[in-house]
Amino acid sequence: TFPVLRAAGDGDEDSLVQGLDELWQRRIIHERGLEAYDFTHDKLREAAYNMLSPTRRRLLHRRVAQALEAVHGENPDPVAAQIAAHCDRAGYPQQAISFYLRAGQAANRVYARDEAVGSFQRGLALLEQGSWDETQQDWRPEMEAGLCEGLGDVLRLAAQYQAAWDAYQRALVAVPAQDQLRQSLLLSKIGHTWWPQGDYRR
């Protein structure tokens, strides 16, 4: 959208409008709605992206992530998946993981299960790949517990009870021993993976 382009760019508004007009007249981009733009063809987008150096790409992904955060202010949930992907490609795994968690939760609330599973799994993959220093020792298990619990919630609703049990069990391990309320909630959810299968005794 125009506000995101303006926030992410390094020029003034007049230059941005002039550039958009030129691209629109050449039919490289077209309007979508009142203030959004897109490439007229996927090949044009691909060519423009491939012309950028890896360093330039990471810089622009970071700027777009920051612009999306700024434009959407206190409610970034509708664009959390976009912010996560831009942080991921910009090389900011900690921010990406936090937004993948938020994106998965937002997708699950509207029953977009495939998107939710994808966000939770990508967040977990980044968490496993990263090398975290001592300042992030409390943050890491909190993220792991949140991502695993969210994944378990989606899988349980999809009747994938064994996979949900595995996710909840991993979340339970990540939760600090002193957080008994969170442990109780996870144990309850684990019980709800057995109940639909008729395993009442367990």
Side-chain angles (χ1 to χ4, degrees):
T1 62
F2 185 83
V4 172
L5 286 169
R6 181 175 54 199
D10 53 8
D12 58 43
E13 189 170 296
D14 289 341
S15 298
L16 174 59
V17 170
Q18 184 179 345
L20 288 170
D21 280 347
E22 184 177 347
L23 292 170
W24 178 78
Q25 288 170 9
R26 292 178 180 226
R27 299 187 180 181
I28 294 172
I29 63 171
H30 62 101
E31 291 179 310
R32 293 187 62 181
L34 293 176
E35 60 178 13
Y37 297 88
D38 198 0
F39 286 94
T40 53
H41 198 283
D42 289 343
K43 290 291 184 184
L44 290 171
R45 180 189 297 103
E46 184 181 339
Y49 192 76
N50 289 336
M51 288 171 64
L52 301 170
S53 69
T55 304
R56 181 72 174 163
R57 286 181 198 172
R58 286 192 294 272
L59 171 65
L60 293 177
H61 280 301
R62 177 173 60 82
R63 283 186 179 175
V64 173
Q66 291 170 340
L68 285 166
E69 276 194 83
V71 168
H72 289 271
E74 295 180 0
N75 184 30
D77 285 357
V79 293
Q82 292 179 51
I83 296 172
H86 284 294
C87 289
D88 194 347
R89 293 175 183 174
Y92 288 85
Q94 186 171 354
Q95 292 90 331
I97 291 166
S98 297
F99 274 103
Y100 277 126
L101 172 59
R102 192 161 188 165
Q105 292 168 338
N108 193 29
R109 283 196 294 273
V110 296
Y111 303 102
R113 290 177 185 158
D114 289 344
E115 291 85 346
V117 168
S119 292
F120 290 133
Q121 289 180 337
R122 180 56 186 162
L124 286 167
L126 284 176
L127 202 63
E128 291 165 2
Q129 293 167 12
S131 54
W132 311 104
D133 59 35
E134 291 182 1
T135 64
Q136 296 156 324
Q137 291 309 305
D138 291 335
W139 172 86
R140 189 189 185 285
E142 177 61 29
M143 286 294 107
E144 184 173 10
L147 289 162
C148 288
E149 182 179 1
L151 181 59
D153 290 344
V154 180
L155 295 171
R156 180 162 60 91
L157 287 171
Q160 298 180 37
Y161 299 116
Q162 183 58 51
W165 184 90
D166 291 339
Y168 287 143
Q169 197 67 35
R170 182 174 170 184
L172 189 62
V173 171
V175 170
Q178 65 271 20
D179 192 351
Q180 294 181 332
L181 184 61
R182 186 83 180 275
Q183 288 183 331
S184 298
L185 177 62
L186 285 166
L187 287 168
S188 175
K189 290 184 175 185
I190 287 170
H192 279 85
T193 65
W194 294 328
W195 170 69
Q197 302 176 79
D199 196 348
Y200 306 120
R201 183 171 181 274
R202 192 175 185 187

